[in-house]
Structures are given as structure tokens and as C-alpha cells.
Amino acid sequence: MNDLADGLRQRIASGRLRVSDHAQGRLDERGMLLSDILASVPSWSVIETYEGNRMGLSLLVKHELQAGPVHAVWGMIDQDAVHAVLVTVYLPDKEKWDEQFTIRRKV
């Protein structure tokens, strides 16, 4: 497992997390509960790692919820950040992802 995923999970497990306004809006739009996302953090699948973007270090992960798979971007400004940040959540598009929603289809 990678250090970034471990660091994010530790922060989330200890309650050191924030939800961006954007992510909260997406949760609300889709009728998803933050508690469901948080409950699935221990079993998430890391899809992609992003370094050096405007949100700092971040991961695109797949959460398996009762209603189906959800993609989320979790990040932190740097390795010393106090909080993990839920940047966004979305329902993966079947046209853009493979059957497991972990590999982008070539367009």
C-alpha cells in the first residue's frame, strides 16, 4: 500500500478530515451520505495518484457502497498536513471506465 493512502486513511480514521464545498455539493446532488463513504475507506481501491496539482497530493479511489461503486478524490496539501480532504465524489461513467471502474477506457 502506498504511503499517501496510508496517511490519508490514518487521518480519516482519527477524524482529521474536511469535506470541500464541492464534494458536499456532489454528495447532496447524488443523495449520498458521507458516513457511507467513510465506512468504505478501509476497503477503497486506489485508481490513480496525483502529485503536485493545486490540491497537493491526492488519490482517485473507488469506494464500494451498497448502491454501487463511487469514485472519490481524497487529498492533503503535503505529507505534514493535519487533515485529509474529500475533494470530490462522482458516479463513474460506464462508457469511460472498464467493468470494475478502475481502468479508464481509451477513447
Side-chain angles (χ1 to χ4, degrees):
M1 183 150 333
N2 77 38
D3 293 340
L4 179 55
D6 289 341
L8 287 165
R9 278 190 174 122
Q10 289 170 359
R11 285 165 178 80
I12 295 164
S14 67
R16 293 181 293 141
L17 69 122
R18 294 193 174 152
V19 178
S20 72
D21 290 342
H22 175 80
Q24 187 61 59
R26 296 302 170 263
L27 288 167
D28 294 345
E29 283 174 7
R30 293 166 176 90
M32 290 187 265
L33 299 175
L34 178 60
S35 59
D36 291 340
I37 298 289
L38 297 178
S40 68
V41 165
S43 61
W44 72 23
S45 302
V46 175
I47 299 171
E48 296 174 355
T49 302
Y50 309 121
E51 295 183 22
N53 64 22
R54 67 183 184 87
M55 292 304 295
L57 307 168
S58 56
L59 297 176
L60 172 62
V61 300
K62 181 178 86 168
H63 292 270
E64 286 291 346
L65 304 184
Q66 189 171 5
V70 172
H71 283 183
V73 175
W74 285 94
M76 54 189 181
I77 297 302
D78 59 38
Q79 291 290 347
D80 298 322
V82 173
H83 295 94
V85 178
L86 179 58
V87 179
T88 193
V89 295
Y90 64 90
L91 302 173
D93 184 332
K94 292 177 184 178
E95 300 295 317
K96 296 181 180 180
W97 294 92
D98 69 353
E99 294 78 23
Q100 290 77 38
F101 300 101
T102 56
I103 299 173
R104 292 180 194 269
R105 295 184 190 275
K106 304 244 190 252
V107 210

